[in-house]
Amino acid sequence: MLKLIATRITEALIALLLMSLVIFLLSRLTGDPVALMLGDGATEADRQALIAELGLDRSLPVQYLTFIGNALTGDFGRSLTASAEPSIDLVLSRLPASLSLAGVALVFTLVIGIVFGVFAAVMHNTPVDIAARLVALVGQSVPSFWLGIVLMYVFAVQLRWLPTSGYGQWEHYILPAATLGLFTLAAITRLVRASMLEALGSEYIKLARVKGLSEAVVVWKHALANSLIPVITFMGTFFAVMITGAVVVETVFAWPGIGRLAYESILARDFPVVQTVVLVITALFILANLLVDILYVIVDPRMRSRG
């Protein structure tokens, strides 16, 4: 267990370092922030002074090493557009909104996806199974921005049941969480269905039925317990989908999370904020996958010896 954790932490540090380099280079290919900040009426002297102030007159390796050195001390730079506020403060102020939305969406998809997958496997090749597979197909095919607009039009504009935007009340979570979670719902449904079909045909399930256990106990306790291992394995990926998908969903529903902050910062060419957002999201991915690895070892003791 300790060897696994140490290995994953080392991989996490390497991944963070590589990601910091990639986003540092890509953010500087999107345009000139100096022109955006100064406007058309600025003189060349004003331009040169701002370049020197931002450190953009130094070479890219020096700029990157400076960024890494500052980041190790908790200084990720200041926003170029938001009243020079520290970029890490901006990101941390938006992070609770994103995590709460991703959490609600993940619980929604886990509950419904597991139920759909179990019923689809138990009622194999019936209309219920076909309907579950159709939901999975639609969920993995429909673009999230299109789905969000359609849900907003139907339930907010036409039926007036739910708000089009906002944050803080339970009803504000329904549309964005449903939009964010549909792709993952489809993936969980297909995973559980495939695992349940394999489990229901195994010898230990036949033995459980021979012992006279009720079908509900056989399905929901014995078969489902082993069928959830693939879902646990991909939990880190599901979480990643939730966070990355939030960029589009938060923009559509005006959700005040880090996804929308990333979108706004890219448009404004706010390098420090973009870098900070991506690094925080990367750290969340890595942490989620580390927790999944540990949980996987706990759930499946056979993995402990493979460490």
Side-chain angles (χ1 to χ4, degrees):
M1 177 74 76
L2 294 178
K3 181 180 179 181
L4 173 63
I5 295 176
T7 302
R8 293 295 291 153
I9 291 176
T10 302
E11 293 173 351
L13 294 175
I14 295 174
L16 280 174
L17 184 63
L18 293 176
M19 181 55 67
S20 68
L21 177 60
V22 170
I23 190 57
F24 175 83
L25 295 176
L26 290 179
S27 63
R28 277 150 178 77
L29 297 176
T30 60
D32 183 10
V34 175
L36 180 67
M37 296 175 65
L38 291 179
D40 297 332
T43 64
E44 182 62 23
D46 295 332
R47 175 181 172 81
Q48 294 301 324
L50 184 57
I51 289 176
E53 180 182 347
L54 298 176
L56 300 178
D57 56 340
R58 292 174 286 182
S59 64
L60 286 179
V62 173
Q63 292 183 46
Y64 175 68
L65 291 176
T66 301
F67 167 71
I68 291 298
N70 292 335
L72 292 176
T73 63
D75 181 7
F76 291 86
R78 293 181 174 271
S79 171
L80 304 181
T81 59
S83 302
E85 184 176 352
S87 58
I88 188 63
D89 292 347
L90 280 173
V91 173
L92 293 180
S93 67
R94 300 285 193 99
L95 188 58
S98 291
L99 291 181
S100 62
L101 177 60
V104 171
L106 189 58
V107 171
F108 158 76
T109 57
L110 281 174
V111 173
I112 298 180
I114 290 173
V115 172
F116 278 10
V118 169
F119 278 104
V122 172
M123 304 179 185
H124 184 51
N125 288 332
T126 66
V128 174
D129 183 24
I130 295 173
R133 284 185 287 172
L134 181 61
V135 170
L137 177 62
V138 171
Q140 293 186 315
S141 305
V142 175
S144 57
F145 72 90
W146 181 86
L147 177 63
I149 293 173
V150 170
L151 292 179
M152 187 186 301
Y153 177 76
V154 173
F155 293 101
V157 177
Q158 294 296 321
L159 299 178
R160 299 183 182 276
W161 289 354
L162 298 168
T164 59
S165 61
Y167 169 67
Q169 303 297 324
W170 66 268
E171 60 268 20
H172 295 139
Y173 284 85
I174 296 177
L175 291 183
T179 303
L180 186 60
L182 184 61
F183 181 87
T184 306
L185 170 64
I188 292 176
T189 300
R190 298 181 69 172
L191 273 175
V192 174
R193 177 183 178 275
S195 298
M196 283 291 295
L197 287 175
E198 182 179 354
L200 290 173
S202 62
E203 294 298 326
Y204 74 91
I205 292 297
K206 295 177 182 178
L207 178 61
R209 285 171 173 160
V210 169
K211 289 181 176 180
L213 297 178
S214 66
E215 189 65 16
V217 172
V218 171
V219 171
W220 293 100
K221 182 178 180 181
H222 296 282
L224 182 59
N226 288 276
S227 300
L228 290 180
I229 292 179
V231 177
I232 294 174
T233 304
F234 285 97
M235 282 295 294
T237 303
F238 294 152
F239 182 78
V241 170
M242 294 291 182
I243 298 296
T244 55
V247 176
V248 174
V249 174
E250 289 180 3
T251 302
V252 171
F253 290 97
W255 191 266
I258 59 175
R260 187 181 175 195
L261 177 63
Y263 172 75
E264 295 170 346
S265 300
I266 291 172
L267 290 182
R269 300 184 179 90
D270 196 341
F271 298 155
V273 176
V274 172
Q275 292 171 158
T276 306
V277 168
V278 175
L279 287 175
V280 169
I281 291 177
T282 303
L284 290 175
F285 288 175
I286 294 171
L287 178 61
N289 281 284
L290 175 61
L291 294 176
V292 167
D293 286 343
I294 296 174
L295 183 61
Y296 195 22
V297 172
I298 295 174
V299 172
D300 190 356
R302 294 171 299 177
M303 296 298 296
R304 295 174 186 170
S305 59
R306 303 177 189 177

